[in-house]
């Protein structure tokens, strides 16, 4: 199912993207081990979708998935921390308040990765 989800995230159809993001959000919330192997694939796609122009809901759901990723082990996420923080900064200027709000939550979680 993972290759199908990866391929679905490349599409531009809002309904397909939302379905895929909802599925991934549920899997991420349950911390499925299989997703740990795909973080380097999903992270760039979530970051790209966090700036998706056609749908505010897609941007919010992608940001939520990025937030859920932060529950995975630090050693897995640390190589991606700076990239995520840098790219999430662009979402802070989104015209929609709800997107900016979720971007702040996600970016804060990414800042805290590896902090003791």
């Amino acid at each position: 199912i993972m290759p199908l989800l990866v391929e679905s995230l490349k599409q531009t159809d809002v309904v397909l993207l939302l379905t895929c993001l909802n599925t991934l959000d549920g899997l991420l919330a349950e911390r499925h081990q299989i997703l740990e192997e795909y973080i380097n694939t999903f992270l760039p796609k979530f970051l790209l979708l966090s700036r998706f122009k056609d749908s505010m809901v897609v941007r919010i759901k992608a940001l939520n998935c990025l937030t859920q990723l932060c529950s995975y082990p630090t050693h897995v996420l640390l190589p991606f921390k700076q990239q995520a923080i840098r790219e999430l900064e662009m979402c802070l200027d989104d015209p929609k308040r709800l997107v900016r709000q979720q971007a702040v939550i996600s970016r804060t979680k990414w800042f805290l990765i590896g902090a003791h």
Side-chain angles (χ1 to χ4, degrees):
I1 191 169
M2 287 303 145
L4 182 60
L5 289 172
V6 169
E7 201 58 39
S8 297
L9 288 176
K10 295 178 184 175
Q11 308 304 313
T12 58
D13 179 48
V14 174
V15 176
L16 178 63
L17 285 171
L18 283 174
T19 303
C20 184
L21 287 169
N22 281 327
T23 303
L24 285 167
D25 190 39
L27 292 172
L28 288 167
E30 295 172 6
R31 291 189 65 189
H32 279 273
Q33 287 296 111
I34 188 75
L35 289 175
E36 198 171 309
E37 300 169 21
Y38 285 90
I39 285 179
N40 62 340
T41 304
F42 285 124
L43 182 72
K45 301 217 182 300
F46 292 152
L47 289 168
L48 189 63
L49 289 173
S50 70
R51 297 184 305 273
F52 188 71
K53 296 292 180 202
D54 296 339
S55 172
M56 173 186 80
V57 181
V58 169
R59 293 194 304 270
I60 291 171
K61 190 51 87 170
L63 287 165
N64 193 49
C65 286
L66 284 165
T67 304
Q68 294 281 2
L69 272 177
C70 293
S71 65
Y72 280 84
T74 302
H75 72 277
V76 174
L77 299 175
L78 213 49
F80 306 105
K81 179 180 177 179
Q82 292 307 315
Q83 176 192 3
I85 290 171
R86 190 173 44 254
E87 292 194 35
L88 283 169
E89 185 177 356
M90 293 180 242
C91 300
L92 300 176
D93 290 332
D94 196 275
K96 299 293 186 179
R97 180 184 58 83
L98 293 173
V99 175
R100 292 192 307 267
Q101 186 177 27
Q102 186 62 44
V104 167
I105 292 168
S106 184
R107 193 163 187 250
T108 302
K109 289 259 192 175
W110 277 93
F111 264 120
L112 294 175
I113 291 173
H116 297 304

